Amino acid sequence: MMNENSAPEIQIGKKETGSGCLGEAGWFFSGTILPMGSFSFYRKAAQRSVGSAILFFIVFTLAISTLVTINLAVNIFSVIGGIRQSYADGKIPEITIAHGVAEVNGRQPFILVDEQSSAGTQPTFVAVDTTGTITEIDTSRYTQGFLLTRTELHVYNLQNGYQAFPLSELNTAFEKDPILINAQTMSQAWGVMSTVVVILAYIFLILWYVVVRLMIISMIALILWGIVTLIKPNTGFGPIINTGLYAIVPAIYLSHLFSRSNISFPGLQTFFLLIFWIIGLVANFADIKFLTDELPARLSTALIGLPMLLLFVLDIFWQFPAPYDLVALWSVSMLTGLVLIGLRLYYRFKDQKPATPPAGI
């Protein structure tokens, strides 16, 4: 049963998408490709429930957030191996703080960071020296820094000024004596910090890519709904927001390609979203025979985009050397779009062509 505010139901769309888990899985996968170049996909997507479109959007954006987070985790946890190797090679000295006195097993002074004034950075100094060669941070040359001496930890920044803490306070604060700073303890500390960073990053990505993006799409859908109802009264809200939830797919792909090419501006993804959203609305509501003829969904044509999806996933974790990375991304993406559009048009004209009557009739 339909209410008067719903768009007319397209029966063939339901037949073609199939039933059960297999049919839904095919429709879901096709949603990651067919919005790039299929009018009939937008028409059939508009007839589905808003809940199914939101579910697709959430799963799709969660998958992207998860892949990005996994890449971040791989990169940040890989530093642990570098820490252990640096200690093994003697590049970083082992430090023991016992009874407020530091002992260093390695060359000194050990200067970890010595950055002078340069564009985009603050002069920073980080060093360890228990020999007395370096006794304090030169505040005339640096704006921030750390210095570990035999009995003190010196901390300097412009906000809090210059401070020197007795190392005995570190033993008390950590309730540990001696304090060991070596490959094992630093690896453990980095692992704990990395876990916290990855969890917070994943939460942020979910909030930004899923929640905030869904709110933006919903607000734009309300505006477009008002415009469409001026042209076609009694149009339901469902077809409008469904179209936007699928139009975000090619918008994400294109914005990624442009950002990888160092071409970006505020609202780039929204710009592409509106382009494909308007195309989808035209496909849904324009009174043109070429668009209104209901044809088979042919969801299997989405398999054309599988190499492109695999390349996008690969690009998150590993990239070809420049400029071959951009050449591969753009070539595969453009070829996928052109082949998809061409094949969909071929089937559309083929399905619209009247059958030839048998000879003698």
Side-chain angles (χ1 to χ4, degrees):
M1 181 177 180
M2 294 191 305
N3 59 46
E4 61 180 2
N5 293 326
S6 301
E9 186 177 16
I10 300 175
Q11 297 294 338
I12 192 169
K14 292 188 176 182
K15 293 179 182 178
E16 291 294 337
T17 55
S19 60
C21 295
L22 185 60
E24 287 301 316
W27 175 263
F28 181 89
F29 173 75
S30 68
T32 63
I33 298 297
L34 294 187
M36 295 174 58
S38 172
F39 290 127
S40 61
F41 177 86
Y42 282 110
R43 288 186 60 82
K44 291 173 173 56
Q47 307 308 315
R48 297 175 66 86
S49 67
V50 175
S52 66
I54 292 177
L55 178 62
F56 166 82
F57 170 83
I58 291 175
V59 174
F60 179 71
T61 50
L62 273 179
I64 295 176
S65 301
T66 301
L67 290 173
V68 173
T69 304
I70 292 174
N71 180 51
L72 172 64
V74 170
N75 290 331
I76 198 170
F77 280 105
S78 66
V79 176
I80 294 178
I83 292 174
R84 294 183 180 276
Q85 190 61 45
S86 295
Y87 275 102
D89 296 340
K91 295 179 179 179
I92 302 178
E94 295 184 354
I95 302 173
T96 302
I97 302 176
H99 307 296
V101 178
E103 294 183 2
V104 178
N105 181 19
R107 61 180 178 82
Q108 296 186 73
F110 174 71
I111 300 176
L112 184 62
V113 178
D114 186 2
E115 294 181 355
Q116 301 296 322
S117 297
S118 60
T121 62
Q122 291 183 331
T124 304
F125 183 76
V126 180
V128 175
D129 182 28
T130 61
T131 65
T133 302
I134 303 175
T135 58
E136 62 182 16
I137 302 169
D138 188 349
T139 57
S140 65
R141 297 172 56 191
Y142 305 99
T143 60
Q144 57 187 2
F146 294 90
L147 172 63
L148 178 69
T149 66
R150 186 171 182 273
T151 58
E152 293 180 324
L153 174 63
H154 296 239
V155 181
Y156 172 64
N157 57 62
L158 295 178
Q159 290 75 26
N160 300 317
Y162 200 107
Q163 303 178 69
F165 303 96
L167 294 182
S168 58
E169 293 185 4
L170 290 180
N171 291 117
T172 302
F174 286 97
E175 298 182 349
K176 193 170 185 180
D177 196 354
I179 297 175
L180 302 178
I181 304 176
N182 53 28
Q184 181 179 355
T185 57
M186 290 302 294
S187 297
Q188 290 175 347
W190 185 268
V192 172
M193 183 189 71
S194 299
T195 301
V196 174
V197 169
V198 169
I199 293 174
L200 292 178
Y202 190 51
I203 294 173
F204 171 79
L205 288 174
I206 291 175
L207 291 175
W208 180 256
Y209 287 122
V210 181
V211 179
V212 175
R213 188 180 277 162
L214 181 58
M215 291 173 60
I216 293 173
I217 291 176
S218 299
M219 289 188 294
I220 297 175
L222 286 172
I223 297 173
L224 292 178
W225 185 32
I227 296 174
V228 171
T229 53
L230 293 177
I231 303 172
K232 283 185 171 293
N234 298 326
T235 299
F237 181 68
I240 307 297
I241 192 170
N242 281 9
T243 303
L245 291 171
Y246 286 101
I248 192 65
V249 172
I252 290 175
Y253 297 156
L254 285 173
S255 62
H256 175 69
L257 289 174
F258 275 80
S259 62
R260 286 283 282 110
S261 304
N262 296 320
I263 303 174
S264 184
F265 56 84
L268 176 64
Q269 190 173 113
T270 304
F271 171 74
F272 288 123
L273 168 64
L274 289 174
I275 289 177
F276 284 93
W277 203 334
I278 292 173
I279 291 174
L281 293 178
V282 170
N284 284 322
F285 299 109
D287 190 15
I288 303 174
K289 186 177 185 301
F290 178 80
L291 299 175
T292 56
D293 285 346
E294 297 305 331
L295 305 173
R298 298 189 186 276
L299 300 182
S300 60
T301 55
L303 293 173
I304 295 171
L306 186 58
M308 184 192 74
L309 292 180
L310 294 176
L311 181 60
F312 279 174
V313 173
L314 176 64
D315 187 65
I316 294 176
F317 297 96
W318 181 84
Q319 298 172 0
F320 294 106
Y324 305 108
D325 55 343
L326 295 180
V327 172
L329 284 171
W330 279 100
S331 299
V332 173
S333 300
M334 296 302 292
L335 183 62
T336 298
L338 291 174
V339 172
L340 176 65
I341 293 173
L343 187 61
R344 299 289 299 190
L345 287 175
Y346 165 76
Y347 281 127
R348 176 168 284 273
F349 285 116
K350 179 181 177 182
D351 293 334
Q352 286 180 332
K353 185 177 179 181
T356 302
I361 296 180

